[in-house]
Structure formats: structure tokens, C-alpha cells
Amino acid sequence: RKEVEQDPGPFNVPEGATVAFNCTYSNSASQSFFWYRQDCRKEPKLLMSVYSSGNEDGRFTAQLNRASQYISLLIRDSKLSDSATYLCVVNPSNSGYALNFGKGTSLLVTP
Amino acid sequence: DVKVTQSSRYLVKRTGEKVFLECVQDMDHENMFWYRQDPGLGLRLIYFSYDVKMKEKGDIPEGYSVSREKKERFSLILESASTNQTSMYLCASSFPAQANYGYTFGSGTRLTVV
């Protein structure tokens, strides 16, 4: 089952660029949504939760569109240190406590 | 900060060996999870537990079992290791309500079965 789908990329962008990732989910009853960041050979770490009203944390903006069942992450003024894989994560209401992870979108920011 | 500790970063085992991967969390979380992560396949849920002695199968439980005798410890057992179980294994934990707030992951165990 592909409950969470993301474009795997890679997205290669120059420093300072704005880049956006999208993610779609299949379960319309899903309760909560997240973006995680994963550096090469490291564990995933929570980047931000995604709220219905949209939310911003510095250069990062997350949006949720429940009607279309997609989530987006916008990164402004990209830094070299933003290079990582970004995982879209969904908490479906019917699977108990287990989150569903997308396969991730790879971002490479170049000088 | 919540800490989730996995006992080994790197492990090499032989085919047919019984392998134990240990995970300990220090924040009194009810929920604990085992995932494996492979290139192109993403994270796949093996087992999870929402209480001591409770366990639930995830998407790929075959060839694995788990043990949760204490709240802070969740062990993944490979009954008879095979080369297709070579992978990165990630443990995570959360409070039940914090399924709405995400997980905290351990740093992972990279297992190679030869």
C-alpha cells in the first residue's frame, strides 16, 4: 500500500533558492502530519508538524490541503546545510499509533 | 530531551544466527516501534508495542519477533538471520498522544548478515 507518496528527487538547487516539496496521502481520515529530516546515514528527526492553518518556522513553511490530501514544505533561502532527505509523515486514524512514512525527497543545495 | 538508545551502531552476523537488537528509552513512553530502512523502500514498520508485554505486527513482521518485558526496553529478534535482513534498523518511541507530535528515533543499527 502506498499511503504516503513523495517525489524522490533529487532536487538540486543553488544556495539561496526557494524549493518546494509536495506529498500526497491516501487516507482522508488522517489525523496529523509531519515533515522529518534525515541526514545521510543518520536517524530521521522531526523538522515540523503541519497544521491545517499552515505554519512557519524560520525559512520553512508547511501547508496542508485536506481537500486535495496533500502536504507541502517550502524552504526559502536554501543553505548548504539544508541538504538532506525530507520525509513526509502521516498519522492515519485507523492504524493505532503507527505513523506512515513517505520514502523521502532528496535535496542537494549547491554553492 | 528524550533519548532513545540502540545498543549497537554496526553489527555483522552470520546467516542462521539469532540476533538481538536492543532499544531503550528514558522518557516513560508507552509506544515503541521497530522499523527497517532500505534504499528505495523507505521506512517499513516491523512491529510496534503500546504497552508492556503488548505487541502488534507491522507491515513486514515475517522473520522477526519482539519482546517488551519492561516499559523502557523493546527488543527486536531475528530468529534466524538471513542476508535479506541486511538493513538499517531504527527504533522509535512516543507517548500515545504524541502520535500527534511525532516520534523520537534512536540513532539506528546497521546490520549486515553475511
Side-chain angles (χ1 to χ4, degrees):
Chain A
R1 68 186 169 162
K2 291 186 189 287
E3 297 202 12
V4 181
E5 295 210 47
Q6 299 180 247
D7 180 346
F11 285 62
N12 292 331
V13 302
E15 249 183 312
T18 295
V19 62
F21 308 135
N22 290 328
C23 159
T24 58
Y25 61 95
S26 59
N27 185 344
S28 60
S30 295
Q31 295 291 315
S32 49
F33 310 88
F34 312 90
W35 283 101
Y36 274 70
R37 172 197 167 120
Q38 186 173 24
D39 293 297
C40 188
R41 303 181 78 83
K42 297 283 184 70
E43 74 274 22
K45 293 186 177 176
L46 180 63
L47 178 66
M48 57 198 303
S49 300
V50 186
Y51 304 122
S52 296
S53 54
N55 49 300
E56 190 173 307
D57 182 2
R59 297 181 294 108
F60 298 82
T61 300
Q63 301 244 317
L64 168 64
N65 184 320
R66 283 191 184 270
S68 301
Q69 294 179 212
Y70 83 78
I71 306 148
S72 64
L73 177 68
L74 183 78
I75 305 175
R76 290 181 300 278
D77 188 23
S78 299
K79 311 291 184 193
L80 297 177
S81 57
D82 293 334
S83 298
T85 297
Y86 291 84
L87 305 174
C88 175
V89 184
V90 174
N91 180 19
S93 63
N94 62 350
S95 72
Y97 305 102
L99 300 176
N100 288 332
F101 287 77
K103 293 180 183 178
T105 298
S106 175
L107 171 66
L108 179 62
V109 181
T110 55
Chain B
D1 275 354
V2 176
K3 197 160 181 190
V4 179
T5 302
Q6 293 184 231
S7 52
S8 307
R9 289 299 301 273
Y10 299 94
L11 213 50
V12 180
K13 295 292 181 181
R14 294 195 179 278
T15 301
E17 274 193 77
K18 190 168 186 175
V19 181
F20 293 86
L21 302 183
E22 305 288 346
C23 176
V24 177
Q25 49 93 3
D26 66 0
M27 282 298 289
D28 204 34
H29 283 173
E30 282 85 359
N31 299 342
M32 296 188 75
F33 308 84
W34 276 106
Y35 287 84
R36 64 177 282 178
Q37 187 174 30
D38 302 286
L41 297 177
L43 277 94
R44 293 181 290 167
L45 181 64
I46 304 171
Y47 269 96
F48 66 101
S49 168
Y50 52 87
D51 203 351
V52 176
K53 296 193 187 295
M54 304 299 288
K55 60 185 179 185
E56 294 283 343
K57 291 181 180 178
D59 297 320
I60 51 162
E62 297 78 19
Y64 302 94
S65 62
V66 290
S67 172
R68 184 115 183 252
E69 295 298 318
K70 293 185 177 181
K71 192 174 187 179
E72 67 270 19
R73 185 180 296 270
F74 191 35
S75 303
L76 180 69
I77 303 152
L78 286 65
E79 298 291 342
S80 176
S82 63
T83 55
N84 63 12
Q85 292 178 309
T86 292
S87 187
M88 167 75 119
Y89 289 88
L90 288 158
C91 176
S93 72
S94 75
F95 288 119
Q98 285 186 358
N100 291 323
Y101 296 91
Y103 298 160
T104 299
F105 281 91
S107 54
T109 296
R110 194 166 290 278
L111 173 67
T112 302
V113 182
V114 297

